[in-house]
Amino acid sequence: MIARTLFAALMLITPLVAQADDDGTTLRALIAQYRCPVLDRLEQIYRATGSADPQNWFLILYFAANPNDYVQCVFDTKTRMLCEAASGYYDQLATEPRTRWLSTSAVAALGRLGFSTDDTAGNFRIWFDFADPPDLGAIAEFMLKTLHDGFAARADDVLKFDAPLAPHAIRACTPVS
């Protein structure tokens, strides 16, 4: 019981400590590691909007070690997008009591990025309106910053992708420095 409580407490303060010690280096490293594969998939999805089933116009980026921590963005149209950051709300079935909430510092970090901070009925959300074509590189970096600031993602974390229209990166990527 004590070990479980200690583990839970460490999980709550880890994002706060990581953010407090960060001078931007860890975000730059995360972007260098993952920007290209995220951007490639966003490009594939964007090209398919209009011709593919709108239910598939999304990209979910999540931790291999903890798939319940994620950011997902979905094109609503060619000029509008909804992004959501996991809140813990959907971790259990609707018939079971909720067991996980993000730490206050993680919610505050998501709020600074523009996400709603009310998780009483779902995930944290933000809507974007943009030009056609959108700056997909900025969207890719926003998704990575969301994982970095809200969930303490770092370049050495293994991130996974869920995107029916872009299951694999299709071009070779040049690392960003």
Side-chain angles (χ1 to χ4, degrees), residues 34-46 49 54-62 70-76 81-85 136-137 139-144 147 159-169:
Y34 283 105
R35 182 183 190 274
C36 190
V38 174
L39 175 58
D40 185 24
R41 285 171 174 87
L42 286 169
E43 288 171 345
Q44 291 178 62
I45 296 164
Y46 184 75
T49 59
Q55 294 292 326
N56 293 327
W57 295 357
F58 68 87
L59 171 61
I60 303 171
L61 185 58
Y62 61 95
Y70 60 86
V71 60
Q72 63 182 349
C73 292
V74 60
F75 289 95
D76 184 50
M81 173 177 271
L82 169 67
C83 291
E84 292 185 319
L136 297 173
I139 295 169
E141 290 183 19
F142 176 79
M143 292 180 78
L144 291 166
L147 286 182
L159 299 181
K160 299 205 143 231
F161 305 86
D162 183 3
L165 297 176
H168 306 287

Side-chain angles (χ1 to χ4, degrees), residues 15 22 28 35 62 70 74 89-90 98 103 111 142 148 164 171 177:
D22 191 12
R28 286 191 298 275
R35 182 183 190 274
Y62 61 95
Y70 60 86
V74 60
Y89 185 86
Y90 295 107
R98 183 171 174 183
S103 69
F142 176 79
H148 178 273
R171 64 181 165 103
S177 55

Side-chain angles (χ1 to χ4, degrees), residues 31-138:
I31 289 171
Q33 178 71 23
Y34 283 105
R35 182 183 190 274
C36 190
V38 174
L39 175 58
D40 185 24
R41 285 171 174 87
L42 286 169
E43 288 171 345
Q44 291 178 62
I45 296 164
Y46 184 75
R47 281 193 305 270
T49 59
S51 62
D53 181 353
Q55 294 292 326
N56 293 327
W57 295 357
F58 68 87
L59 171 61
I60 303 171
L61 185 58
Y62 61 95
F63 293 87
N66 186 5
N68 287 337
D69 287 345
Y70 60 86
V71 60
Q72 63 182 349
C73 292
V74 60
F75 289 95
D76 184 50
T77 66
K78 285 211 171 254
T79 61
R80 191 163 188 232
M81 173 177 271
L82 169 67
C83 291
E84 292 185 319
S87 66
Y89 185 86
Y90 295 107
D91 285 6
Q92 274 74 40
L93 298 172
T95 57
E96 297 177 18
R98 183 171 174 183
T99 60
R100 186 172 76 101
W101 289 262
L102 266 61
S103 69
T104 303
S105 62
V107 174
L110 294 172
R112 285 189 296 275
L113 291 172
F115 284 92
S116 66
T117 56
D118 179 5
D119 64 350
T120 58
N123 286 328
F124 304 107
R125 305 173 89 181
I126 185 171
W127 282 94
F128 292 105
D129 292 305
F130 41 74
D132 183 11
D135 182 348
L136 297 173

